[in-house]
Amino acid sequence: MSEQMLLAFDDEAPLAQALAQALGVPLAFVQRHRFPDGELRLRLPEGLPSRVLMLRGLQQPNEKLTELLLCAPAARELGARELVLVSPYLAYMRQDMAFTPGEVVSQRHVAALLGGLFDAVLTVDPHLHRVTSMEALFPGRRGLALSAAPLLGEWVARQLGRPVLIGPDEEAAQWVQAAAQAQGLEHGMGCKRRLGDREVVLELPPLELGGRAVVLLDDVASTGQTLIAAATQALARGAASVDVAVTHALFVGDALAQLHAAGVRHVWSTDAVPHPSNVVSVAPLLAQAVARL
Ligand code: R5P
């Protein structure tokens, strides 16, 4: 029997297949059944190898956290001695402080839960802002944060030559700088204030945008309102085109349609979250990191 295996879920099959192939390890899927009352019955392969890599991105996180809560200890019962979570999208990372008194700091508690279940956690562009490192997030565990920003930078440069890269807010600085520097692109960061789930006010940096191709780059798009506000402003300032590149394409509800209605031309994303806009694969990045762990 192989000494390691990739365990995945069928709704992430394309990334799972690409990752298993890049790693040269066998791939198996967790079988799921939902009982009428909403409970889950999960089935893992019997006789697991000593090292199990579990692929589970945490988009729509609540049910997936339950899956991990059940699958991780079950994998150990079935023979796994080392459990590595490969979670291309880590949810609950933006709730990194109590913004109002009494508010649960979800980032800390979700990280504690995952750190208790897994020996190592590997992810892509986690929203680390006030907590700045995986070491701080997963004390005593191996945590590795990879960045897809250079890959997105390479993609946009291949499509557009020399666009201006703009991060809609200060928190995007880390990704925009990584993407822009790898390609020598002009870049800048906006300034954003969120007033509600679907309400943001934002100011783009004072770069010359008239007649230029602008690419808005961010780690995650959820309602799309951040990108819509930024695109509207870029177009009002004379940008010739506005395209969007994100690592995590959550795009809830009709966010994608709204983005196009606001004048955004292309929406590009990585396959860290499965979505029709996926153009860049994080599988090679993940495979190299797993080999390094
Ligand atoms: C927060 O700062 C993130 O980097 C994103 O800008 C934000 O989560 C996007 O959310 P939405 O698409 O709902 O505006």
Side-chain angles (χ1 to χ4, degrees), residues 94 127 168-169 171 175 192 194 197 200 218-227:
R94 286 165 288 181
H127 194 90
D169 53 32
E171 295 170 28
W175 302 294
K192 177 177 90 179
R194 184 173 284 281
D197 286 348
V200 299
D218 209 354
D219 59 331
V220 53
S222 174
T223 65
Q225 291 304 317
T226 299
L227 293 169

Side-chain angles (χ1 to χ4, degrees), residues 87-91 93-94 122-129 134 137 144-153 171-172 174-176 178-179 217-220 245-248 270 272-273 280 282 285-286:
S87 189
Y89 175 63
L90 265 191
M93 293 297 107
R94 286 165 288 181
L122 194 66
T123 189
V124 183
D125 291 333
H127 194 90
L128 296 181
H129 180 49
M134 291 291 274
L137 196 58
L144 202 49
L146 311 168
S147 181
L151 297 175
L152 287 173
E171 295 170 28
Q174 52 185 307
W175 302 294
V176 172
L217 190 132
D218 209 354
D219 59 331
V220 53
V246 293
T247 302
H248 306 294
T270 77
V273 174
V280 169
V282 294
L285 195 69
L286 292 171

Side-chain angles (χ1 to χ4, degrees), residues 1-5 26 45-52 78-81:
M1 187 179 35
S2 167
E3 283 170 11
Q4 54 179 335
M5 167 185 275
E46 286 176 273
L48 289 173
S50 60
R51 187 183 205 217
V52 170
L78 290 165
R81 290 207 305 275

